[in-house]
Amino acid sequence: MTQFPKNIQYLVFTIFMTVFTNHVNSQEHPNLILTKSGVEKIRAELGKVPLFDTSLAKIKDEVDIEIALGIDTPIPKDYSGGYTHERHKRNFLIAQKAGVLFQILEDDTYAKYIRDMLFQYEAMYKNLPVHPQPRSYARGKIFWQCLNDSNWLVYMSQAYDCIYDWLSIKERKQLEKKLFRPFADFISVENPQFYNRVHNHSTWGNAAVGMIGLVMNDDELIQRALYGIKDAKLDFTAKDDDGGFLYTEGKAGFLANLDEPFSPEGYYTEGPYYQRYAMYPFLIFAEGLHNVRPELKIFEHKNSVLLKSVNTLLTLSDADGEFFPLNDGQKGMSYYSRELVTAVDIAYHFGGHNPQLLSIAEKHGRVLLDDSGLAVAMGIRDGKSKPFKKTSINLADGSDGKQGGVGILRYGDEEMTLVFKYAAQGLSHGHYDKLSYSLYEKGNEVLQDYGLARFVNIEQKGGGNYLKENTTWAKQTIAHNTLIQNEQSHFEGKYEIGSKHHSDLYLFNAANNDVQVVSAKENNAYPGTEMHRTMAIIKNEKFEKPFLLDIMKVTSDKENQYDFPFYFMGQVMKSNFEYDSPNLDILGKDNGYQHLYLEGKGKPSSESSTLSWLNNGNFYTLTTATNTSDELLFTRLGANDPEFNLRRDAGFMIRRKNSQNTTFVSVIESHGNYSPVSEFAVNSNSNISSVELIHEDKNYTAISIKDVKGNEQLFLLSNTDASASKKHTLSINNKEYSWTGAFHYSTIN
Amino acid sequence: MTQFPKNIQYLVFTIFMTVFTNHVNSQEHPNLILTKSGVEKIRAELGKVPLFDTSLAKIKDEVDIEIALGIDTPIPKDYSGGYTHERHKRNFLIAQKAGVLFQILEDDTYAKYIRDMLFQYEAMYKNLPVHPQPRSYARGKIFWQCLNDSNWLVYMSQAYDCIYDWLSIKERKQLEKKLFRPFADFISVENPQFYNRVHNHSTWGNAAVGMIGLVMNDDELIQRALYGIKDAKLDFTAKDDDGGFLYTEGKAGFLANLDEPFSPEGYYTEGPYYQRYAMYPFLIFAEGLHNVRPELKIFEHKNSVLLKSVNTLLTLSDADGEFFPLNDGQKGMSYYSRELVTAVDIAYHFGGHNPQLLSIAEKHGRVLLDDSGLAVAMGIRDGKSKPFKKTSINLADGSDGKQGGVGILRYGDEEMTLVFKYAAQGLSHGHYDKLSYSLYEKGNEVLQDYGLARFVNIEQKGGGNYLKENTTWAKQTIAHNTLIQNEQSHFEGKYEIGSKHHSDLYLFNAANNDVQVVSAKENNAYPGTEMHRTMAIIKNEKFEKPFLLDIMKVTSDKENQYDFPFYFMGQVMKSNFEYDSPNLDILGKDNGYQHLYLEGKGKPSSESSTLSWLNNGNFYTLTTATNTSDELLFTRLGANDPEFNLRRDAGFMIRRKNSQNTTFVSVIESHGNYSPVSEFAVNSNSNISSVELIHEDKNYTAISIKDVKGNEQLFLLSNTDASASKKHTLSINNKEYSWTGAFHYSTIN
């Protein structure tokens, strides 16, 4: 090696140290999800916290296998589900884990793996054109959409953060200049139509830019993440692939995405499936901000909405932890997902150590390998876990909590759960399903919300993306358990109209466990028509299980045809009316009707029409008050579905023609059980003999329910005044009833 | 009380004691499933055998609740599923348990309960007409069919046995004279058309008569049970409700029912669902005979066929313990049923303490409260349990084991299970499904056997009895994964013809776990046409999971239309051929075709047609060699089903018209997985690029399977000589292949 004069050596050393010291002093690494002190604590606890140790071992196994297989960064080519998409996705997930392993285990193998991978990306990225697949409104480079590129950067920032100090300055410079900064610019300033929105897509974009900004200590990027691109030129009438408006003037950046779609209590307007998806960037970036920019007090923002939203999301699940598929939501997604591991651990650690969250973490069986995961694992080890209690709850929608909402009524230990939707449109993933509902017994659907028409990430099914049946069926009103007027969807199925309106809560009262009521009104779905739906879960001592009472009062300025479907799950057992079986009819031509076969068409034989079915070993009976002129239709999904994108699910429907004002009154009862092993059929018959609308006017609705032994129940409802203190008097058949409050339930034996 | 002279008192006393002593000396009680010494042993072990103690506690709880509710013996009125039916059924089940509790706990409450119930029956029975419901060929009195009356007596005999000594002589006399003997006569000599058959119905009848005979020490009844009614006058051309012949001359009684339907290795010709049903009377009566008439050596009868049959039945189940629904079988019935608790406990106790049976008993979580249950519980307590190993097995059918059979190929720990049926007709519950099969991955059906069209004991569905769709669909050939010629069922769907024939095994070889083969021929289903089907489970190292190779060689004396269906379970993912979607067609007019909608109709686009689907988180792909003139049909069950008795299951079908000799060659591959929680789609594409029939003549069939990387596998089959030592030479495309044995599998990389 050439000898330089001492003074030159000294000069170089001084310059180097100045640069270096400034850099390291300005900011410690890691600092995003791990901190220097946190890592020290983790190392000190290794071997002493079982759930943390097993989580670490599992991740180590997973990463070690990937390292053994070698790094592959193929030239981008495929949609989701295809090889290049799945490979790049796996790369960032594994790199993030390798980073954490490097910090905890101090084994250079992991750092080298990340470094080598990052340099492969760096080598590829600088000449990379936009992704060849054209379907997105914002094409990425590594992936077919900027959304997935943002996923990549959110995870890779963490990996980079973990090896930051281990890399040479030169390496860091090269990566930042040639990979990270251009990458962050591409998904933001070069794609403002993606970046500057209030939408889960933008949340990912904002977090990605912000997180790499935090690692690089790049204030410009951090500002861009928090507040959006200041002077972005955008067409505010444009719509995205899902049919939603792309931009709202003046609203962009991470904080806007936190303020807008969340209600004050943490309900996310797109629904739980997308809330789950957005939770990860929300919380992981918040964790980074908390660590690097504590002065922002991000977890206290908007009354701690981020932490509240985790509880809200958990309560939006059935007894198996599966999220209610409100709006676009893939069934089966649950609080077992990796995003919820992140959400629950962070909410526990930064949200006051709620012991109920520990029971969810126990179900996860794994924790994050960071300060929050350690806290959770220690809490569980120390026996602090308590069951997560899901109760009846009314969740308001809208950033101010004034745009309708979702009412959940629960009986017992989720023995019966009603999910009643009277929310706002829910952005581009919203469905046209005002006053719709789904009903659960434990983790099983009794009456379903169809969910979405998509097989997420399954390449064979339309590249894993939304299928056209999502628009032609899943979003349409007829796909839901609510009223359809003249075979038209709510708001004509138009987003521009739907997004201007929301339903209004009339009443939510779950104070009496045995008579829980939710009620809401919708006046805009069909101009000139008002819908007022009241749903109650009632447990009467003469009934084995609780039942659902459903009152849909319709008032219109003209005569219409009303369709009122019930998407029951299971095998038909029996009905009390006559019907023909046409075999070969399709119900309609559009608005979703083109997908329904007609399997049966009948007329009521009595004033209470009944249909019973069997599902998952339980019997169910619908008893509904019908007119002699009603048509009763059995439907089956699957017509005009050449690609087999839809399930062949059953439906039952009341069709009431030439009606102006009318009220649909129904009871859905769960009773008995059947086991194919014992072959015992217990309590297989309904306990109800009739459901009758005994009074109806502008001000009052009164229902009588009679059981098979002749006992009667009355449900009286004030239609116009929901105040709890208001006194009401109503005369029915010369008998006078008086009560206080919006409704009254009584039994006459 | 009036004083009698001392000598009169003495005389009466002497007479009484003589009668009494004769009686009690002649036979101890209890003696059926409990013995005096057994009960003493049980009492001594109380509190020391956990599974026995918990079983006892559970049954005590159950019986105590029933006793508290009081006894109800309503006037018989309903079919199964209705109140009177279910009440009487519950009565005999509870009485039997109460008897056991009385013996073990020595608490008179239980004895009184049984006595009072029996006297209520006695009071009712003497004037009881036949049951009002007319549907059975042999109407009972308590129930609508003698079958259920026999169930009653099988259980009530046990209850009576337990309190026999506790009752007074007078009480016993009254019960025996007014209830039990007339009851036994009614179901036997008054209903020979029910009693004197070879059929599971008669087995119950025989056991009922025999068991009450054993308790009453009535040799006439015991002889009648063992050998049938000697001089019954019967019409040997008559058929029962299920379409089976009622009688076979000279064959009747319990021993005939043991000899005829069981093969030497214990396969029951009606199939596992009915074997399960018949196991209870077979084994419980056998236990009684063993105790009271040990000289009969009933458990050693026909080479211990009864004990063997328990193992055979257990092996006829999937990984979840659910029985394969061969012939009429309700899906979901499993080895968790009460009949199997009896069967497994008795087989363990009397069959040499096979430790593998203990693991099934552990799954039961309960044991019989008798000597056998005690033995099982003690075995488990002492840690003797070993896993029940299910292996590939060929089960011959027929009393001599020479009437075809069922071949089961299993790979790994039930990762893939093929159930291949080449059996006899299976009596009246048989289906017309020669050379049919079903395929399982663990406990999930990949290609299904439809099972039966019946909702057992669910009153709403045709009284819980067989529905007409069982005949019009479930029994028909088109309902199965086998060949249909000219849209006709095998044997014209006629029992008279079908019951004369069976298929013949050509080959069964499971010696090499990675290449397991079963092959059979059927020459009678369609006169003039020969079918030879060969199925292999193959595990190739280049494949993630094993696959199924299916070769169906058809040779006919004339041109026919051949339909070849695949009843795949799950959601269609992708196919490689074009098809139209007619929406509104029904496939045919009869033989089951009237129940199938046509959902798609296409033509092959290549020589290997593929269809992939997703089910239970696994991907599956069918790759089948097709001709350009083949039609490819998507079907959906549910046409002409006005009562919604059928499931809306999917099917795929190759239709080959105007063909004389032809061979269908297909591969069914399981690959990859999908989780709606992780949303990862792993290995979702088939690994196969082509399946080709590369040679076909009278003597040899050769198949080539190529994977997507170009690797080739060859399967060569001798069609006429299955001997293991035979040397074969075959030239294909000028290349010579030589091998020894019926088939040869090789890979070319």
Side-chain angles (χ1 to χ4, degrees), chain A residues 381-432:
Chain A
R381 180 196 62 189
D382 299 342
K384 292 180 181 163
S385 172
K386 289 192 179 159
F388 189 85
K389 284 272 175 221
K390 287 191 250 175
T391 57
S392 295
I393 188 168
N394 185 45
L395 298 167
D397 193 4
S399 59
D400 54 359
K402 289 178 179 169
Q403 298 185 42
V406 173
I408 301 173
L409 300 183
R410 286 191 168 94
Y411 183 86
D413 187 19
E414 301 183 68
E415 257 174 85
M416 184 172 264
T417 302
L418 169 75
V419 184
F420 178 56
K421 184 169 182 254
Y422 63 96
Q425 183 63 30
L427 304 181
S428 61
H429 291 294
H431 288 197
Y432 301 95

Side-chain angles (χ1 to χ4, degrees), chain B residues 276-485:
Chain B
R276 177 268 329 165
Y277 185 60
M279 280 325 277
Y280 188 79
F282 272 121
L283 287 168
I284 211 79
F285 183 38
E287 191 175 8
L289 284 170
H290 174 89
N291 288 331
V292 186
R293 299 281 164 107
E295 67 278 11
L296 277 173
K297 297 190 176 174
I298 191 70
F299 284 119
E300 292 165 44
H301 188 83
K302 195 177 171 179
N303 242 321
S304 303
V305 70
L306 262 183
L307 299 170
K308 281 183 188 167
S309 74
V310 177
N311 268 293
T312 300
L313 180 54
L314 290 171
T315 206
L316 283 163
S317 67
D318 68 17
D320 295 339
E322 296 186 7
F323 297 125
F324 304 130
L326 298 168
N327 296 324
D328 286 339
Q330 179 162 270
K331 288 187 181 179
M333 179 55 76
S334 75
Y335 61 47
Y336 289 89
S337 65
R338 61 182 175 278
E339 296 91 346
L340 270 285
V341 175
T342 302
V344 166
D345 289 6
I346 290 178
Y348 177 78
H349 189 52
F350 295 103
H353 286 204
N354 173 3
Q356 295 193 11
L357 293 173
L358 295 179
S359 67
I360 305 290
E362 285 179 303
K363 290 184 182 182
H364 290 154
R366 56 188 167 136
V367 291
L368 293 181
L369 298 183
D370 66 4
D371 307 5
S372 67
L374 184 69
V376 166
M378 290 173 72
I380 290 169
R381 179 196 63 188
D382 299 340
K384 293 181 182 162
S385 172
K386 290 195 178 155
F388 189 86
K389 284 271 177 223
K390 287 192 249 175
T391 56
S392 295
I393 188 168
N394 185 45
L395 297 167
D397 193 4
S399 60
D400 54 0
K402 290 180 179 166
Q403 298 185 43
V406 172
I408 301 172
L409 300 184
R410 286 190 168 96
Y411 183 85
D413 188 19
E414 302 184 66
E415 258 174 86
M416 183 171 264
T417 302
L418 168 74
V419 185
F420 178 56
K421 184 169 181 255
Y422 64 96
Q425 183 63 30
L427 303 182
S428 61
H429 290 293
H431 287 197
Y432 300 94
D433 61 345
K434 294 298 166 201
L435 309 190
S436 179
Y437 73 102
S438 53
L439 186 69
Y440 291 78
E441 178 161 359
K442 291 281 183 182
N444 297 319
E445 295 167 302
V446 178
L447 289 130
Q448 72 162 332
D449 182 323
Y450 185 84
L452 46 62
R454 177 183 180 186
F455 298 83
V456 181
N457 292 334
I458 300 183
E459 191 192 15
Q460 292 98 320
K461 299 301 267 185
N465 303 311
Y466 280 98
L467 299 165
K468 75 176 170 45
E469 288 78 11
N470 198 60
T471 305
T472 61
W473 168 255
K475 283 189 164 187
Q476 298 295 328
T477 308
I478 187 62
H480 300 86
N481 298 306
T482 189
L483 187 87
I484 302 97
Q485 178 176 300

Side-chain angles (χ1 to χ4, degrees), chain A residues 273 460 571 642 644 679 684, chain B residues 273 460 571 579 644 679 684:
Chain A
Y273 179 77
Q460 292 97 321
Q571 176 85 35
F644 299 96
E679 295 188 338
S684 65
Chain B
Y273 179 77
Q460 292 98 320
Q571 176 86 35
Y579 57 90
F644 299 96
E679 295 188 338
S684 65

Side-chain angles (χ1 to χ4, degrees), chain A residues 171 184 564 601 744:
Chain A
E171 286 169 332
F564 198 68
K601 184 173 178 177
H744 182 65

